[in-house]
């Protein structure tokens, strides 16, 4: 038992040290490949170049090449037989918590300005842990990966140019000087940036699809179906959406708690099942084979909230240029079209947007477009204000 506790302590220290990688960049002219930063973001936002970068990188490299993370998986799967049952359960649960911390830290530490080796090692390190599981993958582990998927491929981050401009304006005001430039020329407060954690999570799912697809589908079906055992077994995947306003003043729906910090990192506090389901159609659409029907069953839900979210999600999936879900799931598509006559105006408005989007993106699906045109005409005839 003492040796197992010592192993867990080693992994705790490793997780704490690895977390620093997300805030450091390789020094110019040194590091893994001597190439400096990639310069993909508007400006370095995770701290100064650090001499410790290579040290933190070697920890990630060790996890990738030696695959030492599988030790935690072994402790989750089986514990020493000389322990009493309660001690075994406690050790197994502790190992699972540390494994989840490790996976979260590995993915979070990838920054847009890191060299590609960082993302590649992160992918391999996490995939090795998943592939080591014999049978089903714990939902807590799935949870840690899916939250990054729900955050989406693009994130809004603080614009460094806006910060500098604001500082310049404040300094001029303090010196009682005229502003350095007109207010209309102020840079936007936020800018779009590729979400590197999403890309890593997507590659992990593709790499381990044979092992992970069925557990993910079961998790999503349980969440969408309101399975109490599934809902209470996880902590970071939520069923709700948060409506926010982006830098352009446009109202957007975002994961309920997948916030982006000023450093461009995704705050690991949650994601909604609707966003996760949509993103999975881009990453590994086969996972959704049984999930689409579960979503469609919510179209007749008596409460407006779930019915509206199902209508919105299916509309996005059916109209997506990258999918042929409407063709594969004709029955679900027909069920979705019936929401054109929903008694709730909010849902009818969502249907108009979804139908128009389908006609725009799927004009080659002539049979389906005919049904869409009929549904759209029915809505607009009964309610021209839409």
């Amino acid at each position: 038992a003492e040796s197992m506790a010592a192993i867990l302590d080693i992994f705790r220290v490793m997780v704490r040290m690895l977390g620093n990688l997300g805030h450091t960049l390789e020094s110019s002219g040194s590091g893994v490949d001597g190439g400096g930063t990639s310069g993909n973001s508007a400006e370095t936002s995770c701290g100064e170049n650090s001499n410790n970068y290579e040290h933190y990188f070697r920890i990630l490299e060790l996890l990738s090449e030696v695959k030492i993370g599988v030790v935690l998986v072994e402790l989750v799967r089986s514990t020493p037989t000389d322990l009493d049952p309660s001690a075994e359960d406690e050790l197994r649960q502790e190992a699972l918590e540390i494994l989840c911390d490790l996976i979260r830290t590995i993915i979070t530490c990838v920054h847009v300005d890191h060299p590609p080796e960082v993302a590649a090692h992160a992918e391999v390190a996490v995939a090795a842990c998943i592939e080591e599981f014999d049978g089903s993958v714990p939902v807590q582990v799935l949870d840690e990966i899916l939250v990054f998927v729900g955050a989406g491929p693009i994130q809004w981050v603080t614009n460094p140019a806006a910060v500098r401009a604001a500082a310049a304006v404040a300094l001029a005001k303090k010196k009682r000087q005229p502003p350095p430039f007109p207010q209309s020329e102020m840079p936007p407060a936020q800018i779009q940036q590729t979400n590197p954690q999403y890309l890593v999570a997507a590659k992990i799912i593709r790499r381990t699809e044979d092992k992970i697809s069925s557990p993910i589908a079961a998790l999503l079906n349980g969440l969408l179906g309101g399975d109490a055992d599934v809902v209470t077994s996880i902590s970071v995947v939520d069923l709700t959406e948060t409506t926010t306003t982006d830098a352009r003043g446009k109202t957007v729906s975002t994961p309920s708690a997948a916030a982006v910090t000023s450093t461009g990192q995704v705050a690991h506090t949650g994601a909604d099942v609707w966003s996760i389901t949509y993103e999975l159609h881009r990453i590994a659409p086969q996972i959704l084979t049984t999930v689409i029907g579960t979503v469609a069953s919510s179209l007749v839900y008596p409460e407006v909230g779930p019915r509206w979210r199902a209508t919105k999600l299916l509309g996005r999936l059916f109209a997506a240029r990258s999918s042929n879900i409407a063709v594969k799931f004709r029955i679900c598509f027909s069920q979705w079209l019936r929401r054109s006559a929903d008694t709730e105006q909010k849902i009818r408005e969502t249907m108009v947007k979804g139908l128009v989007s389908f006609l725009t993106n799927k004009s080659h699906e002539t049979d389906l477009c005919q049904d869409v045109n009929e549904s759209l005409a029915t809505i607009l005839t009964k309610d021209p204000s839409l």
Side-chain angles (χ1 to χ4, degrees):
E2 292 182 359
S3 62
M4 295 300 101
I7 291 174
L8 295 181
D9 286 339
I10 291 173
F11 274 102
R12 288 192 185 94
V13 173
M14 184 180 298
V15 169
R16 286 197 297 270
M17 295 182 67
L18 184 61
N20 295 318
L21 181 59
H23 308 289
T24 56
L25 301 175
E26 64 175 329
S27 299
S28 179
S30 64
V32 180
D33 58 8
T37 61
S38 62
N40 291 329
S41 66
E43 181 176 291
T44 298
S45 58
C46 63
E48 299 179 355
N49 291 340
S50 171
N51 293 329
N52 291 325
Y53 168 82
E54 186 171 352
H55 176 63
Y56 301 140
F57 175 82
R58 296 305 174 195
I59 296 175
L60 178 61
E61 190 177 45
L62 186 67
L63 287 163
S64 170
E65 296 183 352
V66 185
K67 298 178 173 57
I68 58 176
V70 301
V71 174
L72 286 174
V73 177
E74 287 299 321
L75 291 178
V76 173
R77 292 172 51 193
S78 59
T79 52
T81 56
D82 58 340
L83 299 177
D84 61 78
S86 61
E88 286 187 5
D89 290 340
E90 184 178 347
L91 180 60
R92 186 179 294 111
Q93 182 61 34
E94 193 173 358
L96 179 58
E97 291 175 0
I98 297 175
L99 176 61
C100 290
D101 287 343
L102 178 63
I103 291 174
R104 182 190 321 129
T105 303
I106 289 174
I107 299 177
T108 304
C109 77
V110 181
H111 190 273
V112 70
D113 282 316
H114 280 153
E117 291 85 354
V118 174
H121 283 310
E123 173 193 344
V124 174
V126 176
C129 295
I130 293 173
E131 290 169 347
E132 187 67 17
F133 279 103
D134 183 18
S136 183
V137 180
V139 293
Q140 293 89 340
V141 172
L142 302 178
D143 205 2
E144 297 296 341
I145 298 170
L146 292 177
V147 69
F148 295 103
V149 171
I154 301 295
Q155 59 189 10
W156 287 92
V157 298
T158 300
N159 185 0
V163 175
R164 291 194 300 269
V169 170
L171 181 61
K173 185 177 181 180
K174 183 177 180 180
K175 294 181 177 180
R176 300 181 183 278
Q177 297 175 348
F181 40 77
Q183 182 67 27
S184 60
E185 295 181 8
M186 281 286 289
Q190 291 184 311
I191 55 174
Q192 283 187 323
Q193 182 175 277
T194 300
N195 183 354
Q197 292 94 16
Y198 170 92
L199 298 180
V200 171
K203 289 181 178 179
I204 291 169
I205 290 175
R206 293 190 185 105
R207 190 184 186 100
T208 62
E209 186 172 353
D210 290 345
K211 173 75 71 172
I212 211 172
S213 59
S214 294
I216 288 179
L219 174 59
L220 294 178
N221 283 324
L223 288 170
L224 292 165
D227 188 316
D229 292 336
V230 174
V231 173
T232 56
S233 67
I234 58 177
S235 59
V236 298
V237 176
D238 195 3
L239 291 170
T240 61
E241 285 182 322
T242 298
T243 299
T244 58
T245 302
D246 65 20
R248 301 160 296 176
K250 180 181 178 181
T251 300
V252 293
S253 294
T254 60
S256 58
V260 179
T261 67
S262 60
T263 61
Q265 303 292 326
V266 176
H268 186 78
T269 51
D272 69 273
V273 68
W274 313 96
S275 296
I276 290 170
T277 302
Y278 178 77
E279 293 300 333
L280 283 174
H281 101 270
R282 296 173 169 175
I283 298 170
Q286 292 302 318
I287 293 177
L288 300 181
T289 300
T290 62
V291 177
I292 298 298
T294 304
V295 176
S297 66
S298 296
L299 291 171
V300 293
Y301 204 81
E303 294 182 13
V304 174
R307 200 166 76 245
W308 171 71
R309 286 191 287 269
T311 301
K312 180 182 177 182
L313 172 59
L314 288 175
R316 296 180 68 198
L317 289 172
F318 292 145
R321 290 188 175 92
S322 57
S323 81
N324 61 346
I325 294 178
V327 176
K328 289 185 175 181
F329 298 88
R330 290 292 294 266
I331 295 177
C332 295
F333 183 72
S334 298
Q335 293 171 338
W336 175 70
L337 289 178
R338 294 192 192 106
R339 289 303 94 206
S340 300
D342 198 283
T343 57
E344 186 67 30
Q345 181 173 344
K346 178 181 180 180
I347 294 178
R348 296 198 304 274
E349 291 174 348
T350 299
M351 282 299 301
V352 170
K353 295 177 182 178
L355 294 169
V356 171
S357 180
F358 187 92
L359 292 173
T360 302
N361 298 335
K362 300 288 186 178
S363 57
H364 58 283
E365 300 289 353
T366 53
D367 291 344
L368 296 179
C369 284
Q370 182 177 350
D371 295 337
V372 168
N373 275 318
E374 292 176 359
S375 297
L376 185 59
T378 300
I379 297 179
L380 297 180
T381 300
K382 292 183 177 180
D383 193 350
S385 63
L386 296 176

